Amino acid sequence: MSANVRVRRPATPPPGLPHVIPSSHKYPPIRQDHLSADERREAASKGYGPGRRSHSTGGLNITSGEWKLLAVVLLIAVGVRMFRISKPNSVVFDEVHFGKFASRYIKTRYFVDVHPPLAKLLITAAAFLFGFDGDFDFKDIGKVFENVPYVAMRMVPATFGVATIPLAYLTLRALDCRATTALLASIFLTFENGLVTQSRHILLDSPLVFFTALTTFVFVGFSNEDKKEPFTEQWWTWLILTGLSLGAVVSCKWVGLFTIATVGVVTVLQLWLLLGDLRVTPRMWARHFFARVVCLILIPILFYMTMFQLHFAILGSSGEGDAFMSSEFRQTLGHGMQDTYADVALGSEITIRHLNTQGGYLHSHAHNYPGGSAQQQITLYPHRDENNIWRVFNVTNDGYEQYDYEHKPIVYIDHGSRIKLRHIVTDKALHSHDVRPPVSDVDFQNEVSGYGMTGFVGDINDDWIVEIEKGDSNDKESSTRLRTLRTHFKLRHLNTGCYLFSHKVKLPEWGFDQQEVTCNKNAVKANSLWYVETAAKHPQLPANAAKVNYKIPGFLSKFWELQQVMWTTNAGLTDRHMYDSRPLSWPRLRRGINFWVKDHRQIYLIGNPFVWWSSTVAVITYMLVRGFLILRAKRGYRDFDNTKVVKYDSLCGFLFVGYCLHYFPFFLMGRQLFLHHYFPALYFAVLLNCAVFDLVTSTLRPKIRLQIAAVLMIIAILTFSKFSSLTYGDPWTKKKCTNAQWMKTWDFACNEFLDEYSQYSGVTVPTLNRSTPMATIGGEPGGRAAIVVEDNLAQDGVAPPQDEQNTAVPIGAPEPGRDVFAKDKQKEIKSQTLAVDVPVLVDEKDISVVTFEPTSAAPEPAAGGKEEDKVQEGDVSSIGEPEDQAHPELIENVEEEVEVDEDNDDFRKPHGPLDHEEAIADQVAHELYPEARGAE
């Protein structure tokens, strides 16, 4: 058969032309600049010559007309987000926290927050540049700003919100979507009510969304460069920018870790595909791997740590965050401890600190438990105080006498030593017995109390055995006997065998919210370890006795400790909030957040329902279509051989992965969550929505596609305008508010708005605040009902504080997110006197006059002050008398703690017909103040 095959010889070249050696390739190589017909047409439309492949940096082929269009969109975004940004001129929602943090930065007072510092530092920089001195406290929602450049501070998140719009446009163009699609996404984000509301106030989510968008954009640009040619100058530029952006997003909030996860998943996929490409040598693959490790892991870590280095450099003074850090850490905050004596012996005056919980010092004060043994309280107190000082004595049972430590030789405290601890201020012994604690009322917990009196040597329940757990490796003696700061030890109760123990359980208000101390028979070792922090000079110690102090920690130690505190506290935010929500409700936009209500206006965080719901539908549609294609592929269909299917599957798949990684992790969290936690996921959902639009309209003519997009934009703008009064805090009517409640779960304060717009002009806003002191009359069993009347006597001697005007919300008053690092506000106290003849109330903690100020809160006690001296100021005026001077006519005084709420006036109103109430009140007032009758 082979003999019949004729072989064609190469053609002889024409005369005069050189002989050309035939190519060894069976087929000629494809030219690198070869273009298909569609590509040549596109290149020609952009002015390129024939055969030239167009490629811009990052794959951004943007025409000059698009840049002009993008500039117009940017101006619109500026107008939407900056419109009347100075309104309201009072504190809104979590400006309570983040404005306060700016004050702390400017005052250089150390504080702790669960969020990293970048966004807070940017807001602080704006405040500092515009002259903020840090004196405004941002204490309450609705508090009017005074001497605060709040507009400049709000401009920071607003600017980030504006900058997010062009990033969305450029990202979709870099993903090879059409200009119409990119325009649609930018308009959707421009008129998204939730994003607009969040970006107009001193909050952190707008910078977070911006850096999420920036990371997505630069990573897409890097991926485009990676497809073209790796390791070029542009390739390295995009990769380094991605690393810096990753560091920035995680330095705003830890939610940025989800963005890192998104980039990480795609990066792993890229490396996996490169590993299967036989054209890529192992050495080249290793270069790809290490380049990504350096730029996408090390650079973000260094950026993140640099932000904390700046954080520590600014906050160099002691502040409210000291109590949450270790003693070593506090040494760097200008709150350092003086050198203390290293040796501890019988007769030493010492302070003992709990090792694990950082709850503070072993503490006692002259207040008793309300139940149990009713003996003196033993607690952990986080601040240095004279009530933390104890003296070490030897046990006195079994015939032992108290050791004369002042004259006899010094006796050190060794492992197994039997000791007593006597409280210096109250002269009570550290005591435990078989009585259940008032809070941890379980069988294996015993109460720890202060017991005894001056001159009483105590009993066996005062005796404890020292068990040394470990010492410092650099101090050998600390492992055999008690040494200050170096020895970790346990105290075992001699009689019951339980261990002195503390855990993160707070006592109620009668214990001043301090940490509980018990004696635990099944104690966890970590919570039963203690150490001596200070030891005063013992009479028998020489003048040159050894002294010790805490080791000053370096940056890495401080950085790691703060991360642990932030993580532990963030995970512990499990308390419910009036407007918290769970992730399942976010895509459906079931409920928003009440940010601010005042002067018959409201700011309520609610998304643009059209943008929100259409994006959710797009996510669900992609899931269904992708699942259907997988089933078809299983049945042998070759849909993924279609280049169009592959393109949109890669595009939508990337955005879907970003959405999932920014949304589904919240289902694993038991902490307090809010609607604004959904915003990064919403950004990916909007881009995915527009990518689906690009696919659906890919077969339509450009004119028709633009018309459909225009209709969608108009719907989004009209929906935005319908809810814009809640976005900007503008006047609204009750009817429009009610009509806008498309879902029953949207709890707008419709009753707070006026009936007509004309009523907003020239109307003095009423206030529910009362600065006149009130007294409660009546209420005795079997007598007349309690009446609240003006206390004219108190008016003569008490000048109640004034507060700004405020309109209360009938239901759902705005409430900031909880700041667990701030001290809890004290509750107001209302006193009811059951005798009507005596205007003076007497009790051990007497409260005689109550001024109802619904919007004011009790000031926080100064850090480091004694809890016994905490007094509530402003709303409650206190008058006290010794018990032996009590008025004989006083029958009984009842102290009742009540939560003062702006939307609850029931406690001010007696029951019954209004005219009858007024008559009784008038009669009682004249009985109490007969001089007023004469004055009339």
Side-chain angles (χ1 to χ4, degrees):
M1 181 176 178
S2 60
N4 297 328
V5 177
R6 297 181 58 187
V7 179
R8 183 187 298 271
R9 67 177 178 84
T12 304
L17 293 179
H19 180 73
V20 179
I21 300 175
S23 173
S24 61
H25 296 284
K26 185 175 182 180
Y27 299 103
I30 299 176
R31 295 172 52 189
Q32 295 296 324
D33 59 346
H34 174 75
L35 299 177
S36 64
D38 292 336
E39 290 173 330
R40 287 197 300 272
R41 189 180 303 110
E42 181 182 359
S45 66
K46 297 180 180 180
Y48 298 125
R52 180 180 177 184
R53 182 180 295 272
S54 60
H55 181 84
S56 301
T57 177
L60 284 173
N61 297 316
I62 307 295
T63 64
S64 60
E66 286 186 75
W67 287 114
K68 296 176 183 177
L69 176 64
L70 191 56
V72 173
V73 173
L74 194 61
L75 290 176
I76 295 174
V78 170
V80 170
R81 280 164 171 75
M82 303 292 183
F83 175 68
R84 289 175 52 185
I85 198 171
S86 61
K87 303 295 182 180
N89 64 340
S90 56
V91 179
V92 175
F93 192 53
D94 275 353
E95 288 183 339
V96 167
H97 303 314
F98 303 121
K100 177 185 68 176
F101 294 151
S103 300
R104 299 295 183 268
Y105 273 124
I106 291 174
K107 295 289 188 180
T108 71
R109 295 174 182 169
Y110 186 78
F111 68 91
V112 181
D113 183 33
V114 295
H115 303 302
L118 175 58
K120 299 191 289 286
L121 287 171
L122 293 172
I123 293 171
T124 303
F128 179 77
L129 291 175
F130 284 84
F132 183 39
D133 56 10
D135 289 335
F136 189 78
D137 58 9
F138 293 87
K139 188 175 183 181
D140 300 306
I141 291 178
K143 184 172 184 177
V144 178
F145 291 114
E146 296 178 1
N147 301 319
V148 182
Y150 69 96
V151 174
M153 298 171 72
R154 287 177 176 174
M155 286 285 287
V156 173
T159 302
F160 282 118
V162 170
T164 304
I165 306 306
L167 286 177
Y169 185 98
L170 296 174
T171 300
L172 286 179
R173 293 293 287 126
L175 288 170
D176 202 21
C177 289
R178 296 171 177 82
T180 303
T181 302
L183 176 64
L184 180 64
S186 61
I187 293 298
F188 276 2
L189 292 172
T190 299
F191 292 96
E192 209 296 302
N193 297 71
L195 293 175
V196 174
T197 303
Q198 197 76 6
S199 65
R200 288 172 51 83
H201 305 290
I202 308 172
L203 304 171
L204 307 186
D205 291 275
S206 187
L208 172 69
V209 174
F210 167 79
F211 285 115
T212 300
L214 179 62
T215 302
T216 305
F217 167 64
V218 293
F219 182 70
V220 169
F222 161 74
S223 300
N224 290 336
E225 289 293 332
D226 191 54
K227 293 176 184 176
K228 179 191 175 186
E229 184 179 358
F231 301 109
T232 62
E233 183 178 345
Q234 292 181 346
W235 185 90
W236 281 107
T237 300
W238 286 99
L239 184 59
I240 293 174
L241 288 176
T242 302
L244 292 174
S245 186
L246 285 173
V249 69
V250 76
S251 296
C252 289
K253 276 189 171 184
W254 277 355
V255 176
L257 291 171
F258 303 152
T259 308
I260 293 178
T262 303
V263 173
V265 167
V266 179
T267 300
V268 170
L269 178 61
Q270 290 176 346
L271 291 173
W272 179 255
L273 295 177
L274 285 174
L275 189 62
D277 190 345
L278 298 180
R279 295 171 299 179
V280 179
T281 64
R283 184 175 181 180
M284 180 65 69
W285 188 89
R287 288 185 63 191
H288 278 280
F289 176 80
F290 285 110
R292 286 165 169 80
V293 167
V294 171
C295 295
L296 301 183
I297 297 179
L298 295 183
I299 288 180
I301 290 176
L302 290 176
F303 187 100
Y304 181 77
M305 295 177 69
T306 301
M307 293 300 103
F308 279 93
Q309 179 73 63
L310 187 59
H311 177 80
F312 293 144
I314 295 174
L315 300 178
S317 303
S318 177
E320 61 188 19
D322 293 13
F324 301 95
M325 312 309 297
S326 67
S327 298
E328 291 87 350
F329 193 107
R330 295 168 64 182
Q331 290 291 105
T332 66
L333 300 175
H335 198 66
M337 183 183 72
Q338 299 294 326
D339 291 347
T340 185
Y341 287 92
D343 289 309
V344 180
L346 293 180
S348 294
E349 290 186 7
I350 63 175
T351 60
I352 302 175
R353 193 172 178 92
H354 196 232
L355 181 65
N356 189 39
T357 62
Q358 295 182 1
Y361 300 88
L362 186 64
H363 176 93
S364 186
H365 42 242
H367 294 270
N368 296 341
Y369 291 115
S373 66
Q375 295 174 4
Q376 186 166 298
Q377 298 174 15
I378 303 293
T379 66
L380 283 193
Y381 185 55
H383 306 289
R384 290 170 181 163
D385 184 84
E386 63 180 2
N387 281 325
N388 304 334
I389 303 176
W390 303 80
R391 187 182 299 278
V392 184
F393 288 105
N394 63 300
V395 297
T396 56
N397 61 315
D398 298 333
Y400 287 99
E401 296 182 356
Q402 186 166 300
Y403 190 76
D404 185 5
Y405 61 87
E406 294 184 354
H407 302 96
K408 292 185 178 182
I410 189 169
V411 177
Y412 296 111
I413 308 301
D414 302 321
H415 177 77
S417 295
R418 297 165 61 177
I419 64 171
K420 293 178 183 288
L421 291 174
R422 196 130 190 125
H423 192 242
I424 295 295
V425 174
T426 62
D427 202 22
K428 304 283 187 182
L430 185 69
H431 181 93
S432 184
H433 41 216
D434 192 16
V435 176
R436 302 288 76 78
V439 176
S440 299
D441 188 2
V442 290
D443 291 339
F444 57 86
Q445 296 268 33
N446 287 348
E447 179 190 83
V448 175
S449 63
Y451 175 71
M453 63 188 70
T454 303
F456 177 62
V457 293
D459 58 26
I460 193 172
N461 284 328
D462 301 339
D463 298 344
W464 303 82
I465 298 176
V466 177
E467 296 183 359
I468 294 178
E469 184 68 24
K470 62 175 293 188
D472 193 328
S473 59
N474 296 323
D475 185 355
K476 294 182 179 180
E477 292 182 348
S478 63
S479 299
T480 58
R481 62 186 176 92
L482 218 56
R483 298 271 285 180
T484 305
L485 299 177
R486 302 292 186 255
T487 304
H488 297 168
F489 64 93
K490 296 187 289 185
L491 287 177
R492 178 166 57 87
H493 193 244
L494 178 63
N495 193 29
T496 62
C498 58
Y499 286 90
L500 191 66
F501 176 88
S502 185
H503 50 170
K504 293 183 178 179
V505 173
K506 296 289 186 67
L507 295 174
E509 290 187 358
W510 51 257
F512 306 97
D513 293 323
Q514 295 174 16
Q515 192 164 305
E516 182 185 40
V517 174
T518 65
C519 195
N520 194 326
K521 299 175 184 176
N522 300 324
V524 177
K525 184 173 75 172
N527 285 344
S528 57
L529 290 178
W530 306 81
Y531 68 94
V532 175
E533 184 180 74
T534 63
K537 186 179 182 303
H538 192 278
Q540 300 299 327
L541 283 177
N544 60 348
K547 292 185 177 182
V548 293
N549 208 330
Y550 286 109
K551 298 176 182 178
I552 302 299
F555 166 73
L556 291 179
S557 298
K558 294 173 61 178
F559 170 79
W560 182 246
E561 180 179 341
L562 181 54
Q563 304 309 302
Q564 291 177 311
V565 171
M566 292 167 59
W567 176 268
T568 303
T569 309
N570 195 33
L573 290 173
T574 56
D575 292 347
R576 294 304 306 270
H577 185 278
M578 186 181 300
Y579 288 95
D580 65 1
S581 56
R582 299 309 299 170
L584 190 62
S585 67
W586 297 343
R588 296 176 291 165
L589 194 61
R590 284 187 54 81
R591 196 183 186 212
I593 306 173
N594 188 6
F595 269 22
W596 176 89
V597 175
K598 195 175 183 180
D599 303 347
H600 299 290
R601 294 167 173 83
Q602 182 180 23
I603 296 177
Y604 188 95
L605 180 71
I606 190 75
N608 186 316
F610 175 72
V611 175
W612 208 283
W613 291 335
S614 63
S615 300
T616 301
V617 170
V619 172
I620 296 174
T621 300
Y622 171 77
M623 295 172 60
L624 295 177
V625 172
R626 189 63 168 83
F628 179 69
L629 290 177
I630 292 175
L631 292 177
R632 281 176 56 86
K634 196 68 175 176
R635 299 295 299 173
Y637 291 92
R638 303 174 63 88
D639 297 315
F640 291 100
D641 290 344
N642 188 315
T643 56
K644 183 177 181 180
V645 173
V646 172
K647 169 191 171 181
Y648 282 103
D649 179 62
S650 300
L651 189 161
C652 296
F654 168 68
L655 298 175
F656 179 74
V657 168
Y659 174 83
C660 291
L661 291 177
H662 285 81
Y663 173 54
F664 289 107
F666 287 107
F667 284 91
L668 304 177
M669 300 182 186
R671 59 151 290 174
Q672 192 180 86
L673 296 173
F674 295 91
L675 181 66
H676 57 72
H677 287 112
Y678 185 68
F679 283 159
L682 176 66
Y683 177 79
F684 284 98
V686 171
L687 296 189
L688 179 58
N689 186 15
C690 296
V692 171
F693 168 84
D694 193 86
L695 170 62
V696 172
T697 61
S698 60
T699 59
L700 301 178
R701 290 182 296 173
K703 183 177 180 180
I704 297 178
R705 183 187 306 115
L706 182 60
Q707 291 173 347
I708 296 175
V711 172
L712 297 177
M713 294 178 200
I714 292 173
I715 295 175
I717 294 172
L718 291 177
T719 309
F720 171 83
S721 64
K722 186 172 185 64
F723 297 92
S724 61
S725 294
L726 296 175
T727 300
Y728 297 111
D730 288 340
W732 217 15
T733 63
K734 292 181 180 178
K735 182 178 181 181
K736 287 191 174 183
C737 177
T738 304
N739 293 336
Q741 286 181 309
W742 296 351
M743 298 182 69
K744 294 181 180 179
T745 52
W746 292 357
D747 46 357
F748 312 148
C750 291
N751 291 330
E752 197 56 32
F753 297 103
L754 299 177
D755 294 324
E756 301 292 339
Y757 284 108
S758 59
Q759 296 176 334
Y760 283 94
S761 58
V763 176
T764 302
V765 181
T767 178
L768 292 180
N769 296 340
R770 294 182 181 177
S771 58
T772 304
M774 309 299 292
T776 303
I777 307 303
E780 55 274 331
R784 58 189 171 189
I787 306 294
V788 178
V789 299
E790 295 183 2
D791 193 339
N792 296 331
L793 294 179
Q795 280 185 343
D796 297 334
V798 179
Q802 300 294 328
D803 200 359
E804 66 274 4
Q805 291 182 340
N806 184 56
T807 304
V809 189
I811 297 177
E815 177 184 349
R818 184 186 174 202
D819 179 12
V820 294
F821 298 104
K823 293 181 174 60
D824 296 334
K825 295 182 179 179
Q826 299 179 16
K827 295 180 180 179
E828 302 242 356
I829 298 178
K830 182 178 94 174
S831 296
Q832 291 182 341
T833 307
L834 302 184
V836 299
D837 298 327
V838 184
V840 179
L841 303 179
V842 181
D843 196 44
E844 189 173 346
K845 298 180 186 176
D846 300 284
I847 308 296
S848 61
V849 179
V850 178
T851 303
F852 292 102
E853 294 285 347
T855 59
S856 62
E860 299 176 358
K866 298 180 183 179
E867 74 286 341
E868 294 87 351
D869 298 332
K870 293 180 181 176
V871 179
Q872 192 167 359
E873 300 175 357
D875 297 331
V876 181
S877 301
S878 300
I879 301 175
E881 277 184 21
E883 210 170 298
D884 56 351
Q885 298 178 13
H887 201 287
E889 287 82 8
L890 182 63
I891 299 176
E892 185 179 3
N893 179 61
V894 180
E895 290 185 354
E896 177 183 355
E897 292 183 353
V898 296
E899 292 283 356
V900 179
D901 198 345
E902 292 179 352
D903 55 322
N904 186 9
D905 287 338
D906 293 339
F907 63 89
R908 305 174 191 166
K909 299 178 181 178
H911 300 286
L914 184 61
D915 54 344
H916 181 61
E917 296 171 357
E918 293 177 347
I920 294 177
D922 183 71
Q923 178 182 355
V924 172
H926 284 304
E927 290 176 3
L928 284 176
Y929 313 114
E931 67 279 6
R933 183 190 300 269
E936 293 177 357

